Amino acid sequence: MKKNSRKLIDSFTKCFFGLFVFSLFSITGFSQNVGISATGATPPNVDAGLDINYTTKGVLIPRISLSSTSSASPLSAHIAGMIVYNTAVGGDVTPGFYYNDGTKWVSGMPKAAASGEMQYWNGTAWVAIPIGQPGQLLHINASGVPSWAP
């Protein structure tokens, strides 16, 4: 009787250990990026969390009704990088695209003032980088600020 009991415990332990190892390795399969395409055959870019691959369709940004640029409502908090399309008119908002800088909603999308300028986010605001000269390369210094140099 003791031998059968011991065999049963050993069998259960091996089975449990096998399931544990299988579960451990299968968890990594859930931490993937997502790709959306017409056929599903195009794999998502490995550096993108979401890769939408269509040649004849666009992306529809969430449409919400903002009450003001200072209020996060209808969201629960200001989240830097959030992009929405506002449908409301009133206060200091009008219909159009807004992005959140972490403290408020900012109307429109950041854009350069002159043709060829670029924009970079310095952590608090969009900063324009003037167009470079022929032969110059864009460099990023130790502080993360881009500039043109030979």
Side-chain angles (χ1 to χ4, degrees):
M1 184 76 172
K2 281 191 169 189
K3 281 188 173 183
N4 286 341
S5 177
R6 183 66 183 162
K7 281 184 178 182
L8 186 60
I9 291 172
D10 287 345
S11 177
F12 176 78
T13 304
K14 287 178 185 177
C15 185
F16 179 77
F17 180 75
L19 284 172
F20 175 76
V21 170
F22 174 78
S23 298
L24 187 65
F25 286 111
S26 67
I27 289 174
T28 60
F30 294 110
S31 59
Q32 299 175 4
N33 49 359
V34 175
I36 302 171
S37 67
T39 64
T42 306
N45 183 296
V46 296
D47 292 323
L50 175 62
D51 183 359
I52 303 172
N53 190 343
Y54 282 94
T55 58
T56 60
K57 296 182 181 194
V59 175
L60 189 56
I61 300 296
R63 297 159 310 279
I64 66 173
S65 182
L66 297 174
S67 56
S68 76
T69 56
S70 60
S71 172
S73 182
L75 305 177
S76 61
H78 288 288
I79 301 168
M82 179 78 65
I83 298 172
V84 298
Y85 184 87
N86 174 49
T87 58
V89 176
D92 60 348
V93 296
T94 57
F97 286 102
Y98 284 77
Y99 69 91
N100 200 295
D101 69 1
T103 61
K104 66 185 177 307
W105 291 105
V106 180
S107 177
M109 296 300 225
K111 55 187 165 196
S115 178
E117 279 189 348
M118 293 184 297
Q119 298 279 314
Y120 83 96
W121 182 256
N122 69 4
T124 56
W126 288 100
V127 179
I129 301 172
I131 190 168
Q133 298 299 316
Q136 289 184 319
L137 300 173
L138 188 63
H139 295 271
I140 306 214
N141 68 17
S143 302
V145 177
S147 64
W148 293 102

